Amino acid sequence: MKIKKILATLTLGIVVCTHAIADEGMWMLTDIKHQNEMAMKELGLMIPVDMIYSTEGISIKDAVVHFGGGCTGEIISPEGLVLTNHHCGYSAIARHSTVEHDYLTHGFWAMNHEEELATPGLNVTFIDKILDVTSYVKEQLQKDEDPNGTNYLSPKYLTQVAKRFIESEKITLGKGQITELKPFYGGNRYYMFIKTVYPDVRMVGAPPSSIGKFGADTDNWMWPRHTGDFSLFRIYADKNGEPAEYSKDNVPLRPKKHVKISLAGYKESDFTFIMGFPGRNWRYMISDEVEERMETINFMRHHIRDARQQALMEEMVKDDAVRIHYASRYASSANYWKNAIGMNEGLKRLHVLDTKKAQQEAILQYAKEKNDRKIEEAFQTIRKVVADRKPSMYHYYAISEALYAPIQLCSAPSTKKLEQALKSKQKAAIKAQTDSLTLDVEKYFQRMPFPEVERKVSKALLKAYKEYVPEADRISVFANIAREYGDDTDAYVDSWFEKSIFGSKENYDRFAQKPSLKQLQNDPLITYVKSVVEGMQACANTMAEANKNYDAAHKEWVRGTLEKKNAEGRPIYPDANSTLRLTYGSVRSYSPADGVTYDYQTTLKGVMQKEDPTNSEFIVPDKLKELYTHKDYGRYADENGEMPVCFIVNTDNTGGNSGSPCFNAKGELIGTGFDRNYEGLTGDIAFRPSSQRAIVVDIRYTLFIIDKFAGASHLIKELDIAD
């Protein structure tokens, strides 16, 4: 009887506290029935939770897909039509674009299935089942040898455990089905996902960048927003409806679930929920880790990418071919450049370090009361790990951001096998390896059609590295630059193009006619890449040594946090890790500063107010201006006769939620999430419901652009729309 009373009290505590903090949380779908259903209904949910997620039947979950591995999409028609963000489809749009057919600038609309463009490498993944396998995994961890003590987090080990589980449960995987077993809560729980991957995905529609990317870098991460950030793709399958590689014989997928669309709109405080695949966040960090993040990753993303983007943009505005080629890379870089700046500003402005310190002191006090020394020991271990690894982490990200990833010349093919053949002096081996290298080199130069742009960017990045890394800490090649080039990094970069076999096709062709071991050993670019890799490896080794005890300590710290929350009757959720989650809240305006209030909705009127024909970020297409002038909005206008564009909700989102469907209380689609507000960029570390907002494209604007602007009314006819 006493146990029943305790459980009843705990359940009541969960209900009460859930209502208080309902807007925070990236909830596992398997938990919402017992953790969140009552709170969601109190906030306004009008459908049973089983309609959102069901372990046996079909639910809304079955229409939410992982798009390309980094975004979210939703199935919006019985013919496999996928709605996602413009920026999620951006690389595909860019890949299909040429100067003659510039889909980035002018948009693209397939007027029938035959015009839809195959996009090799792009796939869409459905989540078929989510299984809590915590007990099974813990049993296996007890049975198996674990010399390094890392099995509980090892992807390789967990993949083996997933295979065992499938065999033990006699689960038969269908065509295109795969499994993924992941740790949650630092390895305190485990879930397995059974998925189906469709590799034949075709581009159907995309607005011009003047709509899909309106506001570009200036408006990125900002509110108010006026961006029609959407694109359309279609999933194709074989004639049996099963996943298949591209074939002209494939047909549009007939999905088991597609979402219903609402044109009814919303008002302040209306309940909403979002489903998607948030990438990463770090809510269980201690304050030392937050400070480390600010001073290493965020610092380097801010300052190094700033230099790169300035150099790139100067060239992109001069030449359309250059703009198209670098568009996706630039956008990807700029996105988290601004994120890093905003996060650091917000963490300071909101005194998040102080909040974290107060939270961890409360956990330590709880541990003391419970006489749980492991929690205190875990905390001290994490602090020591951070102190030991921080200098190496700073340098690692300096190298990564400045000297390796953004310098395309670093992707030159390896010459190791040819070097070995040259050392052997065997003519047949030398010829074979030279021929093999030549094939790789041809692909390498195809990836770099604009060497002068690469030269300019590389020069800017090497200077940035020198600015932020003290001379004594720099990688070895910088001593050579000082000695042989008078510390002139520009002259050193020029030597890559003038002397390296990878500096130009002509350089390589001359080398290939008479391969030389000495030339390879003295090649300035090959020497540079070796130095960069050695520098990164040295940093990684130092961090690995420091991190040896981190995972175990983090697991204990998270355990302590969870136990404290459970003792208080508070619901729990794991950090984001690119798995399917649900977050809920309501349509909400907010006040970012004293005397400033932002409304919850924007309209087409705001697009016209922002128009600036001299600024490429704020150009408005003539057709859109014509529709605005005549108020030709069709059935998509709101009750006041205005054309809604975007709105904000106080749900808990992060990267990976891009493209996520936003539903109303009836489970109908009202928009597509695409961004967060600047004041809410601290959310990856600390959620602030008063200031954090997810920005959503109103579905009415999406349909208006498809129908009235693009004239693709055949797509509208596919949809299930409720007025």
Side-chain angles (χ1 to χ4, degrees):
M1 181 66 72
K2 186 179 289 186
I3 292 175
K4 288 183 179 180
K5 286 182 178 179
I6 291 172
L7 288 174
T9 303
L10 181 59
T11 302
L12 179 61
I14 289 176
V15 171
V16 173
C17 292
T18 301
H19 182 74
I21 60 169
D23 301 333
E24 175 179 353
M26 298 179 182
W27 307 100
M28 293 294 297
L29 298 187
T30 52
D31 294 339
I32 60 174
K33 182 74 173 177
H34 66 270
Q35 277 201 152
N36 310 108
E37 182 172 25
M38 188 171 291
M40 292 170 72
K41 288 188 173 180
E42 286 180 359
L43 287 172
L45 179 66
M46 299 170 65
I47 59 174
V49 164
D50 287 343
M51 287 183 63
I52 299 172
Y53 171 70
S54 172
T55 57
E56 300 299 332
I58 296 172
S59 60
I60 291 173
K61 177 270 295 183
D62 297 303
V64 181
V65 296
H66 210 175
F67 183 85
C71 282
T72 303
E74 48 272 11
I75 309 298
I76 60 171
S77 89
E79 295 183 57
L81 194 63
V82 179
L83 174 63
T84 188
N85 287 159
H86 183 270
H87 74 262
C88 291
Y90 199 70
S91 62
I93 302 167
R95 199 186 325 160
H96 287 301
S97 294
T98 63
V99 174
E100 293 76 22
H101 300 286
D102 187 353
Y103 300 138
L104 286 175
T105 299
H106 304 298
F108 169 80
W109 304 97
M111 292 302 171
N112 51 58
H113 290 340
E114 287 70 30
E115 293 182 1
E116 294 172 358
L117 301 178
T119 310
L122 178 62
N123 57 53
V124 164
T125 303
F126 289 83
I127 305 300
D128 300 320
K129 288 186 178 181
I130 307 172
L131 306 173
D132 186 338
V133 294
T134 303
S135 297
Y136 183 84
V137 174
K138 287 185 175 180
E139 287 175 6
Q140 301 305 303
L141 288 168
Q142 292 296 320
K143 293 178 182 178
D144 294 330
E145 290 185 12
D146 187 8
N148 299 315
T150 57
N151 277 357
Y152 71 102
L153 292 179
S154 166
K156 183 177 181 180
Y157 172 78
L158 293 175
T159 297
Q160 295 174 355
V161 172
K163 290 179 180 178
R164 292 181 205 167
F165 180 84
I166 291 294
E167 292 171 0
S168 68
E169 296 297 313
K170 295 181 172 56
I171 298 173
T172 301
L173 298 179
K175 185 179 179 181
Q177 276 195 321
I178 60 173
T179 62
E180 182 178 38
L181 197 161
K182 281 193 169 185
F184 292 75
Y185 302 103
N188 286 285
R189 282 169 70 177
Y190 296 87
Y191 289 89
M192 189 168 78
F193 300 82
I194 299 178
K195 314 175 181 183
T196 300
V197 182
Y198 286 83
D200 186 355
V201 181
R202 306 183 193 181
M203 191 166 83
V204 174
S209 290
S210 53
I211 292 174
K213 202 172 168 58
F214 184 77
D217 294 337
T218 299
D219 276 5
N220 191 22
W221 304 107
M222 306 299 285
W223 181 259
R225 198 70 174 274
H226 299 83
T227 312
D229 195 342
F230 77 92
S231 59
L232 296 168
F233 291 78
R234 193 183 304 279
I235 306 169
Y236 278 72
D238 66 19
K239 292 180 180 180
N240 297 318
E242 294 183 325
E245 295 294 335
Y246 170 82
S247 168
K248 61 181 179 60
D249 296 325
N250 286 349
V251 295
L253 176 70
R254 304 293 295 183
K256 58 184 175 183
K257 176 70 177 178
H258 66 275
V259 298
K260 187 175 184 178
I261 294 171
S262 171
L263 299 182
Y266 42 79
K267 60 183 183 298
E268 179 96 21
S269 78
D270 274 2
F271 176 81
T272 61
F273 67 96
I274 285 176
M275 293 172 70
F277 294 82
R280 287 295 307 277
N281 64 3
W282 302 270
R283 299 278 170 80
Y284 294 96
M285 275 183 171
I286 68 170
S287 61
D288 301 62
E289 294 175 276
V290 177
E291 190 171 27
E292 175 190 52
R293 171 67 184 257
M294 294 171 70
E295 296 175 357
T296 58
I297 300 173
N298 287 358
F299 180 88
M300 288 301 168
R301 281 181 176 172
H302 174 185
H303 296 286
I304 302 294
R305 293 190 183 193
D306 198 15
R308 178 194 185 195
Q309 287 157 205
Q310 286 185 33
L312 261 182
M313 183 53 71
E314 288 173 4
E315 298 304 310
M316 290 170 69
V317 297
K318 296 176 184 177
D319 187 319
D320 284 341
V322 172
R323 173 181 54 79
I324 291 169
H325 180 76
Y326 288 100
S328 182
R329 294 178 198 169
Y330 181 91
S332 178
S333 174
N335 192 39
Y336 274 89
W337 162 76
K338 193 167 184 177
N339 175 284
I341 297 170
M343 184 186 294
N344 274 10
E345 287 180 4
L347 291 170
K348 293 174 184 175
R349 183 180 66 253
L350 299 174
H351 307 288
V352 170
L353 287 175
D354 293 336
T355 301
K356 280 286 182 182
K357 288 174 183 177
Q359 290 172 346
Q360 63 201 31
E361 285 302 318
I363 294 169
L364 292 170
Q365 181 59 35
Y366 168 81
K368 185 176 180 181
E369 292 169 0
K370 300 293 290 184
N371 195 27
D372 191 336
R373 296 182 61 185
K374 287 185 177 181
I375 298 174
E376 165 68 26
E377 290 169 358
F379 175 72
Q380 295 301 336
T381 297
I382 294 172
R383 295 199 71 186
K384 185 177 186 309
V385 166
V386 171
D388 290 346
R389 77 187 179 192
K390 191 173 178 181
S392 293
M393 183 177 285
Y394 177 90
H395 194 197
Y396 180 89
Y397 281 98
I399 299 172
S400 176
E401 290 284 345
L403 304 182
Y404 189 71
I407 295 182
Q408 293 299 302
L409 280 77
C410 288
S411 67
S414 172
T415 60
K416 285 183 179 179
K417 290 184 179 180
L418 178 55
E419 288 179 32
Q420 292 170 357
L422 288 166
K423 288 176 183 177
S424 74
K425 298 182 179 180
Q426 295 179 8
K427 291 183 179 180
I430 293 171
K431 184 180 185 309
Q433 292 304 324
T434 301
D435 290 346
S436 176
L437 181 62
T438 298
L439 293 175
D440 292 336
V441 165
E442 288 176 0
K443 296 175 184 177
Y444 164 75
F445 282 115
Q446 288 172 5
R447 296 195 300 268
M448 289 198 307
F450 304 104
E452 289 309 307
V453 177
E454 296 297 332
R455 188 192 299 249
K456 181 171 184 173
V457 171
S458 298
K459 287 179 177 180
L461 288 170
L462 264 67
K463 287 176 183 175
Y465 173 82
K466 280 183 63 179
E467 181 178 354
Y468 296 110
V469 177
E471 183 177 354
D473 296 336
R474 294 172 194 159
I475 62 173
S476 61
V477 74
F478 278 82
N480 297 339
I481 297 173
R483 183 175 59 253
E484 298 175 20
Y485 295 87
D487 209 27
D488 186 344
T489 52
D490 282 1
Y492 177 63
V493 170
D494 286 336
S495 76
W496 297 349
F497 295 88
E498 294 161 5
K499 300 177 182 179
S500 174
I501 66 171
F502 298 121
S504 70
K505 185 66 166 57
E506 293 74 21
N507 288 3
Y508 179 78
D509 289 343
R510 283 194 296 270
F511 167 80
Q513 290 173 10
K514 192 176 180 180
S516 163
L517 179 60
K518 183 178 180 180
Q519 188 172 351
L520 291 180
Q521 292 173 335
N522 293 325
D523 187 290
L525 183 59
I526 295 173
T527 302
Y528 169 80
V529 172
K530 286 180 179 178
S531 179
V532 168
V533 172
E534 287 170 1
M536 291 183 73
Q537 190 60 57
C539 291
N541 290 342
T542 303
M543 287 191 291
E545 181 64 26
N547 280 334
K548 277 196 304 188
N549 299 316
Y550 175 82
D551 289 336
H554 179 69
K555 179 178 180 180
E556 286 297 324
W557 180 250
V558 173
R559 176 186 64 80
T561 306
L562 300 182
E563 288 182 2
K564 182 176 182 295
K565 284 188 175 184
N566 279 327
E568 297 166 347
R570 297 168 60 193
I572 58 174
Y573 63 92
D575 277 342
N577 61 356
S578 296
T579 54
L580 185 58
R581 307 291 181 90
L582 177 142
T583 174
Y584 58 91
S586 55
V587 177
R588 290 283 176 188
S589 55
Y590 75 104
S591 177
D594 183 44
V596 179
T597 299
Y598 286 146
D599 201 359
Y600 62 86
Q601 184 187 55
T602 61
T603 67
L604 192 55
K605 183 187 298 182
V607 174
M608 302 307 156
Q609 291 171 348
K610 285 183 176 179
E611 181 186 14
D612 181 357
T614 67
N615 186 337
S616 62
E617 295 184 328
F618 294 100
I619 290 173
V620 179
D622 290 339
K623 179 68 178 292
L624 189 59
K625 287 191 281 189
E626 181 184 336
L627 291 167
Y628 173 75
T629 299
H630 294 94
K631 304 295 181 184
D632 187 6
Y633 304 145
R635 62 197 287 204
Y636 310 113
D638 65 16
E639 58 186 10
N640 299 315
E642 297 291 340
M643 185 67 246
V645 175
C646 298
F647 63 98
I648 48 174
V649 294
N650 63 353
T651 55
D652 192 354
N653 293 44
T654 190
N657 273 123
S658 293
S660 292
C662 181
F663 298 101
N664 63 15
K666 297 178 182 178
E668 298 166 333
L669 185 69
I670 57 173
T672 308
F674 71 97
D675 206 356
R676 288 174 287 161
N677 61 327
Y678 197 73
E679 297 83 7
L681 289 178
T682 60
D684 285 346
I685 291 170
F687 185 85
R688 296 285 180 128
S690 62
S691 59
Q692 185 163 334
R693 295 293 182 271
I695 305 175
V696 185
V697 186
D698 195 304
I699 194 63
R700 292 171 292 183
Y701 188 58
T702 298
L703 300 183
F704 161 73
I705 295 298
I706 295 171
D707 192 355
K708 306 294 288 186
F709 178 85
S713 57
H714 64 289
L715 296 174
I716 301 295
K717 293 176 183 177
E718 287 187 36
L719 311 180
D720 184 2
I721 301 175
D723 289 309

